[in-house]
Structure formats: structure tokens, C-alpha cells
Amino acid sequence: MFTSTYRIQMREDGPGFLDVADLGDYLSWLGISHVYLSPSFRARKGSTHGYDVVDYVISEALGGMEGYQKMTKSLQERGIGVIQDVVPNHMAVSTENWRLMDVLKNGRGSQWSSTFDWWGDKMTLPILEDELDKVKHLISIDQERRELVYRDWRLPLCDDVNTVDETLEKCYSLTWWIKGPSYRRFFYVNCLIGVNVEKDEVFQDQVRNLPRVEGVRIDHIDGLLDPFNYVEKMKRIFPLVLVEKILTFGEELKIPAHGTTGYDFLNYVNHLLIDEENEGEVEKVYEEFTGRHDDLETMIRESKRKVIREYMRNEFSHVAGLASRSLGRDVSEEIYSFTECLPVYRVYGEIPCDPTGVIHELKERDHGSTANSNRYSPEPSQRE
């Protein structure tokens, strides 16, 4: 029976799987029904959290599959199950990510090209410390290892290139980290690249080596193109499927998971710590400190605008470009306005607001336009 969890953050320097196994008696004494493990797939070397996955195999640094199995056996003997944190939305942008390195080397011809959510004929990596022309002298070619070298980065060369200029023209582009990439990111984190887990071959690649434990916690479910279908697939494999989901007050969970990891519950708990009678005093201190006299709705709108137009400019410019090409005119501002007016973190096909009418126009145009413009919010019915 699922009654309580104890989260354990795995790290290369400990704890590992065998350390968790040794905690079994203590966890049983606490009355824990399930250990909630941080991501256990191979992560970038030195990772402190495990969400920067580089390969879909159980991490050797944490104890490998053998250690994992010993851990689950030890816990099960004490009546304790495992909830495994999984990361379907993204992988690390790292030379340790061999799938990504193959895409840099072979471009759209790589068998792993469709694994990642990127656009254009060649990928743009935002790893430079300044504009290209200011740091190009720091970039070189290691002919013996067939690699482009920049600081600590060693990137593969595609065929028939021998110079820096040829590599940046034919293989991939490098740009200043502030300018952003040609791929979907986890929020605006350059070092995490979006993954197309809605493709069945990518899904199978992710779950093939995932231990069949009692349940999973799905990280960043709303980053997925089709969270509904993904959850349904995971429910066929695991008895318990929980999602990391941001819900606003009064919003119901539409994704068919067994529950959330509790952000919505914490919203209500936090209100117990707030004395509304002191609202005036808090506002006075804020206004004196900032020199601003904003109402909450204005602040929310301005914050959305800043995130959309500055921090996530690359992603929204791409989506706006798809919509503009579909309609034959520039509708960038309309797309931005639609996003800024959304009252919730993620919509699922419904249109809660459409200040310019462009979203309805896209939906009415044809299914292809809808699929493109709703890259991050497909209809719930669009499932396999």
C-alpha cells in the first residue's frame, strides 16, 4: 500500500544504491512505504542531481544495475517499494551524450536525429563565452582525434572537413551562450536539450533499461508534446504513475496520472503561513523598497512578458515562425499576446483566451497548422 515516501538524492560520491539498501531497517522503522529515488540513469560526470541524463542506462557511478537490484531486493524484504524519478523531457548537452554527438557529426542523417527536438539543417550550440568573431582564435581542430576543440569542449567533426571554418559551415554552428540554441530547452537552460519522447522509438529507448519497480515520478510532464499518451504508456508498465505538475488554485489534474508530487498541496499549505491581515504592511515595505506601486495582475503580466520575449525568445520565435508561415503573414505579436494571457501553466487543446483570434484561425486552417502551432499543447485526442 502506498502511504508515505522518503526521497533520497543519489550522487556519485554517495549515497549510491547499496547505501540505500543499508537504510532499509531505518526506513521501515519510520513507517515508509516507498523510497522515492532521484534519477538513476547515467548523468553527466559530477552531476549533483541526476536530471542531466547522458544515456538511458542505470548509472555505474551509483552502483549499476547489479547494485540497483540488490537495493530493491533489500527494500522489498522489508515491505518497502521504490518510486523512480524519470526524466523523459530532456537530456544533457554534453560530450558524454553520445547520441547528441552523433547528431553533431552526421546532422539529419544521424539515426538519433529525431531523438532531439531541434530545427534547421544543422544544430546551433550556445557554448561560446562571447560573439564568435571575438573567441574564434580559441577554437582549433585536433586532426588526430578528429575533433573541434574549444575550452573544455571536444566536438566531433563531420566527414570531409579539416578546418574550423569548414566545420562551422557544414557540421554545426557555435554561438554566444546568451543568444540561445536551435533546439527546445528545459525552460531556458542551454545545457538541457528537449527530447521527442512522443516518438515511439524514443520512448522505447528511454524505458528499455528502466527497472520495473512499483512506480515512477515523471519529471516536467508539461514539457512533453503529448503528456496524455506518455502517461497512458507508463501506466501499462508501472502500477503507480505520479507527475510533477504545476496546478494553479482550483485547477484540476487533466493528465490521467494517479496523482501529482504535491505542488498543488504545498500551495494551500503555504497559505497557512500567511496572515492576510498584514497584507497592507507587506505592500508598504515592498513599495518603499522597490519604488513601484504595481497591482498583482500587472506584475504577473509583465513577468510573463519578460520570460517569453527575453529568456525563452528562441523557442517562442520558432513557434511564432511556424504560425506565421502557416498563415502567410507575420503573427509573432499575436502568438506572444496569446501566451501572455494564458491563466494556467499548460493548456491541452482548449483555448482559454485568444485576444487577437489568431489561435482560432490556426485551428480552423488545417490540422497541420494546428499540430505545428500547438507544438507544446496538443489536443488530448492526439494520441497513438
Side-chain angles (χ1 to χ4, degrees):
M1 181 181 295
F2 179 76
T3 58
S4 59
T5 61
Y6 191 106
R7 189 183 192 276
I8 298 180
Q9 176 62 56
M10 316 293 288
R11 290 169 56 117
E12 291 179 12
D13 55 356
F17 301 135
L18 296 183
D19 297 313
V20 177
D22 291 339
L23 292 173
D25 289 337
Y26 171 66
L27 296 171
S28 179
W29 176 78
L30 288 176
I32 300 301
S33 69
H34 290 73
V35 166
Y36 165 26
L37 286 182
S38 64
S40 296
F41 276 154
R42 184 185 297 159
R44 189 162 46 183
K45 186 175 178 58
S47 175
T48 59
H49 48 78
Y51 292 93
D52 44 357
V53 175
V54 296
D55 199 1
Y56 298 126
V57 294
I58 294 297
S59 171
E60 301 89 344
L62 300 179
M65 182 60 82
E66 182 179 353
Y68 197 103
Q69 291 171 341
K70 288 181 178 178
M71 173 194 67
T72 55
K73 183 176 184 296
S74 175
L75 293 174
Q76 287 170 354
E77 289 173 351
R78 292 161 176 80
I80 300 172
V82 172
I83 304 296
Q84 178 61 64
D85 202 339
V86 296
V87 189
N89 177 73
H90 52 266
M91 296 185 79
V93 177
S94 166
T95 55
E96 299 171 69
N97 187 339
W98 58 267
R99 291 174 179 82
L100 181 60
M101 293 302 102
D102 193 78
V103 174
L104 294 183
K105 177 178 173 60
N106 297 298
R108 292 292 176 186
S110 168
Q111 73 174 98
W112 307 106
S113 173
S114 62
T115 295
F116 304 104
D117 191 0
W118 62 292
W119 46 89
D121 295 326
K122 61 181 182 178
M123 192 174 289
T124 298
L125 297 181
I127 64 173
L128 302 181
E129 65 210 67
D130 208 328
E131 297 284 5
L132 177 61
D133 59 350
K134 295 180 180 179
V135 298
K136 195 172 182 180
H137 65 284
L138 299 174
I139 306 174
S140 62
I141 299 294
D142 184 336
Q143 288 290 2
E144 183 177 349
R145 297 178 58 176
R146 294 294 294 166
E147 293 175 335
L148 178 143
V149 182
Y150 170 71
R151 299 295 192 188
D152 294 335
W153 290 87
R154 302 189 72 94
L155 305 175
L157 303 182
C158 52
D159 295 336
D160 302 322
V161 298
N162 296 290
T163 68
V164 171
D165 287 339
E166 287 178 340
T167 303
L168 298 183
E169 177 184 353
K170 298 179 181 179
C171 307
Y172 40 81
S173 299
L174 303 181
T175 191
W176 188 17
W177 67 270
I178 288 178
K179 290 191 171 182
S182 62
Y183 52 79
R184 176 173 59 86
R185 299 169 290 180
F186 169 74
F187 290 103
Y188 42 89
V189 181
N190 285 342
C191 61
L192 296 175
I193 182 171
V195 171
N196 292 321
V197 73
E198 69 275 6
K199 298 179 181 295
D200 190 62
E201 65 271 20
V202 179
F203 175 82
Q204 296 300 332
D205 196 26
Q206 285 191 357
V207 302
R208 185 173 296 113
N209 297 312
L210 194 60
R212 282 6 184 204
V213 290
E214 287 74 16
V216 290
R217 176 265 194 190
I218 302 171
D219 178 66
H220 196 54
I221 187 68
D222 278 336
L224 308 189
L225 173 64
D226 190 349
F228 290 82
N229 192 35
Y230 179 82
V231 167
E232 293 289 4
K233 285 182 174 181
M234 293 298 274
K235 285 166 67 177
R236 296 176 202 141
I237 303 174
F238 299 96
L240 181 65
V241 176
L242 304 173
V243 294
E244 180 201 26
K245 169 64 184 168
I246 297 174
L247 295 168
T248 193
F249 289 104
E251 183 184 2
E252 295 182 1
L253 179 66
K254 297 179 180 178
I255 298 170
H258 295 111
T260 75
T261 47
Y263 292 173
D264 46 334
F265 173 73
L266 288 176
N267 280 339
Y268 291 100
V269 172
N270 284 338
H271 270 228
L272 295 175
L273 307 176
I274 299 173
D275 184 354
E276 295 184 358
E277 293 184 3
N278 287 327
E279 179 181 358
E281 286 299 314
V282 174
E283 284 190 356
K284 180 181 177 182
V285 171
Y286 171 83
E287 291 175 355
E288 289 177 352
F289 181 78
T290 64
R292 298 179 56 153
H293 304 276
D294 297 325
D295 63 90
L296 181 60
E297 290 302 318
T298 299
M299 291 176 63
I300 291 174
R301 187 71 176 234
E302 287 184 356
S303 297
K304 288 182 180 180
R305 187 180 182 89
K306 186 176 184 66
V307 169
I308 293 165
R309 296 172 183 260
E310 295 183 27
Y311 301 145
M312 300 190 72
R313 179 177 62 251
N314 272 44
E315 286 80 358
F316 279 96
S317 294
H318 176 61
V319 172
L322 291 174
S324 297
R325 287 192 291 276
S326 175
L327 296 177
R329 68 180 192 278
D330 185 2
V331 293
S332 300
E333 281 301 315
E334 290 91 333
I335 295 297
Y336 291 144
S337 296
F338 163 68
T339 311
E340 290 165 12
C341 79
L342 291 174
V344 294
Y345 183 68
R346 165 80 186 252
V347 294
Y348 305 97
E350 72 274 20
I351 306 177
C353 63
D354 189 11
T356 65
V358 73
I359 303 303
H360 284 91
E361 187 178 354
L362 282 166
K363 277 186 168 287
E364 292 170 3
R365 185 171 181 83
D366 57 54
H367 178 74
S369 299
T370 301
N372 284 334
S373 64
N374 281 1
R375 181 65 184 82
Y376 303 117
S377 55
E379 297 281 4
S381 60
Q382 292 176 357
R383 311 176 191 173
E384 294 182 3

